[in-house]
Amino acid sequence: MTTIDYERLYINGAWTAPESAKRIAVHSPTTEGLIGSVPEGTERDIDNAVAAARRAFDDPTGWAAWAPARRGEVLEQFAAALEARGAETARRVTIQNGMPIWLAMNFEAGFPAMLVRYYAGLVAAGLEERRQGMLGKQSLVLREPIGVVAAIVPWNVPQAITFLKLAPALAAGCTIVLKPAPETVLDAFLMAEAALEAGLPPGVINVVPAGREVGAYLVEHPGIDKVSFTGSSAAGRSIARTCGDLLRPVTLELGGKSAAIVLDDTDLSDLMESFFASTLLNNGQICWLGTRVLAPRSKYNTIVDTIAGLASSLQIGDPLDESTQIGPLVSQRQRDRVESYIEKGKSDGGRLVVGGGRPSDRDKGWFVEPTIFADVDRNATIAQEEIFGPVLAVIPYEDDDDAIAIANNTDYGLGGSVWTSDPERGAAFARRIRSGTVGVNGYVNDPVSPFGGIKSSGLGRELGPEGLSAFQTFKTIYLDEPNS
């Protein structure tokens, strides 16, 4: 196939020559062949990008100073430009990280534009509030943009996660330096093309792909006012330490080891489509997936058999084929990681029910079969550590209280789900789970509601009005006016 190659970085509203000749090569997880390349950003490129974002933010007549309606007009043009590139964005994501194309068309093609419009509408609702004081006078509370944002995103759902950050930040009036993951850079440059076409002012969005060391340099850069990071808990802790020392605001959306609790009143076979989407979606490469399945002992064998049947029925193949349900993992390194956890699951006494190997009919690509372990101890490694692949650990529980205890026995707290024939019982159960989000008979990140985790799953929230507030700072003016 023809490779997709870019020779310049997107900085200050233009395609700009990089400061070095180093490049990032992107390989297909399906064929292992080269599919594209882009310049690899350096610290000097970060300096240039931050300087451009700083100028754009500090300009007294610039983006941050524009009325919300004026910003909204440009953001609508941006949303339209993203939509026009939706199919190509989905294709690029699929050929880079193995996401099945039908899923990419849902997550990556349409979600960014939806978020841009949602947050532009929220900001248009107003940025000022008058409050009647308790001491006789009024206060004026203002919401102002927080400043220059460093946005660092992972490879698993790259454009949707990018716009968890860009959409509210842009609507608030912030300017941005985006560092996409090296594995998924071709979609980020397509997004930059949309920004240029839409007429976003120079410096408002800057795109510099790079590795971890340059990412760390961006986090600590003196020109940055806020960091928004999605990635591993280990990297998040390092970023938190840096931002703590700098007293720099930070949002961290990190790892997960969520519990999918199947209650004793459930016929799981009636919920297979939703269960798949909540546990094995995107080849298991989503942080909120319920990879610990908790099943009551009274129905344990039946539930294990049902889940095993699901895993055995999934079609593994080329992610560009619309019938594919499980594609390859993003890289050889990621496949090695997942396979090491499968071996650990075996050595720790888990019973391998389905999968555990590579598809026999594929001699190329970084594929791993959907893998189900039964009889997993609640404290086993595969029950406690994030694997990030199509591997489920089915853990037995005795009663409702035991299920809650197992669900909450984790360093993480990002997602989770409850499966039941009684939605009211499911909602009551969900209230007892220590997690930032929980679904009942399914799991969907709705743009209007806050998403994020507790414990090792992160700090702060994205989506909903709370996601906008993360890119705003509050100013109070104590007015010389009596209460009305």
Side-chain angles (χ1 to χ4, degrees):
M1 61 175 290
T2 303
T3 59
I4 303 169
D5 300 292
Y6 289 85
E7 302 303 323
R8 295 171 178 265
L9 301 171
Y10 185 70
I11 296 175
N12 200 33
W15 296 105
T16 303
E19 294 288 343
S20 88
K22 294 193 297 183
R23 295 187 66 78
I24 294 172
V26 184
H27 290 84
S28 163
T30 307
T31 69
E32 304 179 27
L34 181 70
I35 56 175
S37 67
V38 301
E40 180 176 354
T42 65
E43 292 183 359
R44 290 177 63 189
D45 293 311
I46 292 292
D47 289 339
N48 294 337
V50 173
R54 187 84 262 164
R55 288 192 301 272
F57 184 79
D58 291 342
D59 181 352
T61 64
W63 184 253
W66 287 12
R70 184 181 178 192
R71 282 202 300 271
E73 291 176 359
V74 176
L75 291 177
E76 173 55 38
Q77 294 171 9
F78 189 28
L82 292 168
E83 284 180 328
R85 292 165 174 79
E88 176 62 11
T89 297
R91 189 186 75 86
R92 289 193 185 187
V93 170
T94 291
I95 64 174
Q96 290 176 107
N97 72 2
M99 179 185 291
I101 188 63
W102 58 266
L103 182 61
M105 286 300 296
N106 281 280
F107 275 9
E108 304 288 70
F111 202 60
M114 179 191 301
L115 289 178
V116 169
R117 292 186 173 112
Y118 170 68
Y119 281 108
L122 276 189
V123 171
L127 298 173
E128 298 184 3
E129 177 189 356
R130 279 182 177 261
R131 298 183 184 176
Q132 304 297 312
M134 298 177 67
L135 302 177
K137 293 189 177 181
Q138 298 182 59
S139 296
L140 184 63
V141 180
L142 309 179
R143 291 172 174 257
E144 299 182 337
I146 204 166
V148 177
V149 174
I152 303 175
V153 301
W155 47 259
N156 61 323
V157 193
Q159 282 305 295
I161 292 175
T162 290
F163 279 87
L164 295 183
K165 307 172 190 311
L166 262 62
L170 291 171
C174 299
T175 59
I176 298 148
V177 177
L178 171 69
K179 192 201 83 64
E183 294 84 351
T184 47
V185 290
L186 305 178
D187 54 293
F189 278 65
L190 188 63
M191 181 276 294
E193 292 177 14
L196 183 60
E197 178 185 297
L200 270 78
V204 171
I205 293 179
N206 307 273
V207 182
V208 183
R212 292 182 179 180
E213 294 79 9
V214 174
Y217 180 77
L218 173 61
V219 167
E220 65 187 18
H221 199 286
I224 294 296
D225 298 306
K226 154 88 182 188
V227 176
S228 183
F229 170 79
T230 298
S232 72
S233 296
R237 288 188 179 93
S238 176
I239 290 170
R241 284 191 290 269
T242 298
C243 290
D245 286 342
L246 296 171
L247 296 180
R248 179 166 293 168
V250 61
T251 298
L252 302 171
E253 195 272 282
L254 308 177
K257 192 68 181 178
S258 304
I261 307 175
V262 183
L263 300 188
D264 56 12
D265 63 0
T266 308
D267 183 353
L268 197 58
S269 62
D270 293 335
L271 298 165
M272 280 292 94
E273 184 175 346
S274 294
F275 190 80
F276 165 74
S278 302
T279 57
L280 291 166
L281 199 67
N282 196 26
N283 318 326
Q285 297 177 140
I286 298 180
C287 50
W288 47 255
L289 290 174
T291 54
R292 292 184 298 150
V293 181
L294 312 189
R297 285 199 183 274
S298 61
K299 300 179 68 174
Y300 187 77
N301 291 334
T302 299
I303 291 169
V304 169
D305 289 345
T306 300
I307 297 170
L310 167 67
S312 299
S313 71
L314 296 174
Q315 182 160 329
I316 306 169
D318 184 346
L320 286 173
D321 184 335
E322 292 189 357
S323 66
T324 293
Q325 295 164 293
I326 298 290
L329 300 180
V330 68
S331 65
Q332 181 176 338
R333 182 178 66 177
Q334 185 63 17
R335 184 176 66 180
D336 291 345
R337 169 188 167 88
V338 171
E339 290 180 333
S340 72
Y341 273 107
I342 291 172
E343 292 306 310
K344 181 63 174 172
K346 294 177 185 177
S347 65
D348 284 350
R351 174 165 59 93
L352 182 62
V353 181
V354 170
R358 302 176 184 177
S360 59
D361 62 341
R362 304 202 70 87
D363 58 359
K364 289 284 187 180
W366 299 307
F367 291 87
V368 173
E369 296 172 321
T371 300
I372 310 299
F373 280 96
D375 304 330
V376 178
D377 184 89
R378 65 187 67 186
N379 296 311
T381 298
I382 63 169
Q384 290 294 325
E385 295 185 11
E386 184 176 46
I387 298 173
F388 229 61
V391 181
L392 303 184
V394 188
I395 305 167
Y397 68 84
E398 303 297 336
D399 56 25
D400 288 2
D401 289 342
D402 191 37
I404 292 295
I406 297 171
N408 292 339
N409 178 33
T410 174
D411 290 337
Y412 299 101
L414 182 60
S417 56
V418 182
W419 302 84
T420 175
S421 61
D422 182 349
E424 290 188 6
R425 183 187 180 197
F429 224 89
R431 290 176 183 272
R432 300 177 63 191
I433 298 173
R434 292 269 298 149
S435 181
T437 60
V438 184
V440 178
N441 292 338
Y443 187 98
V444 177
N445 292 129
D446 194 296
V448 305
S449 303
F451 168 72
I454 60 173
K455 298 189 280 188
S456 293
S457 290
L459 299 170
R461 292 295 181 267
E462 296 178 311
L463 294 176
E466 295 79 3
L468 177 62
S469 295
F471 295 98
Q472 295 174 318
T473 185
F474 291 83
K475 177 190 289 183
T476 298
I477 300 175
Y478 303 113
L479 298 171
D480 186 19
E481 298 178 18
N483 286 334
S484 56

